[in-house]
Amino acid sequence: MNNFDSEPLGLWSLASMNSLRLEAMELFDRSLAEHKSYPLEGFIERQLAQEQPPLDLLSQVAEDVHQRLMTLRQNHFEVRDDVLKTLRVDFKVDLSPLVPPNTLENYHLLSLEDALCYLHLQNSGLSDDDRLVLKKMLQTSLDRATQLYHDVMMAEHLYDYLSDWLMGLHVLSVRDSWASTDCDRGLVH
């Protein structure tokens, strides 16, 4: 067995790994909340500093982070989609030309005033109460989209960070395996 291979998991090891995965996801949540990558990066670095880095653990944490990233992207899409549906159904206006699906990542950059002017042009019969409700609804949606955008960016960074380390460790593992095979065959002196 080379330096980077994981040992078979026993019951204690499995419980320990699950505990570490939970810790990693708590640190992921903390990274999102604080808008700083170092809580989870520090955890990863502590795992990497071990004599035999736990590739199984790091792979599972990467899968967990990837799953959370997909959920965040879906939530980001739904924030935009939900407000478009509500505008169409409740106010008979369509904001989609200002926020087409191919620019989803920029939805949070939509100018509230531009959106309100655009909606007023579509339906000049909107009451003052309707405009106030629209303004609050759009502002809430844009605020949520901004938060989700930043969370997606952080999750992508952390996923890439983990993936890069895992790829490097796998390359080292393969090289170590080749070197061991060459030594066993007497090819290396």
Side-chain angles (χ1 to χ4, degrees), residues 42-144:
F43 172 86
I44 295 164
E45 290 166 5
R46 285 188 299 279
Q47 302 310 309
L48 293 168
Q50 294 182 33
E51 188 173 323
Q52 290 187 2
L55 290 181
D56 288 340
L57 171 65
L58 293 173
S59 293
Q60 288 180 12
V61 170
E63 288 176 31
D64 293 341
V65 169
H66 185 257
Q67 186 60 41
R68 294 287 292 280
L69 172 60
M70 295 297 103
T71 300
L72 288 167
R73 285 181 178 157
Q74 180 64 33
N75 291 343
H76 191 239
F77 171 80
E78 288 172 356
V79 164
R80 174 196 160 276
D81 196 50
D82 289 348
V83 81
L84 291 179
K85 285 179 186 173
T86 301
L87 291 172
R88 234 183 338 258
V89 171
D90 294 349
F91 297 95
K92 311 298 185 241
V93 292
D94 184 14
L95 189 63
S96 60
L98 289 183
V99 288
N102 63 338
T103 62
L104 174 61
E105 67 278 355
N106 294 325
Y107 171 64
H108 68 286
L109 300 174
L110 177 67
S111 161
L112 180 61
E113 294 308 315
D114 289 348
L116 291 171
C117 287
Y118 184 79
L119 295 175
H120 179 69
L121 289 174
Q122 284 188 37
N123 186 348
S124 58
L126 293 170
S127 70
D128 289 340
D129 287 342
D130 287 343
R131 284 188 214 141
L132 184 60
V133 168
L134 281 171
K135 184 175 183 173
K136 287 181 181 179
M137 181 177 56
L138 281 171
Q139 186 63 61
T140 300
S141 177
L142 292 171
D143 290 346
R144 180 72 180 128

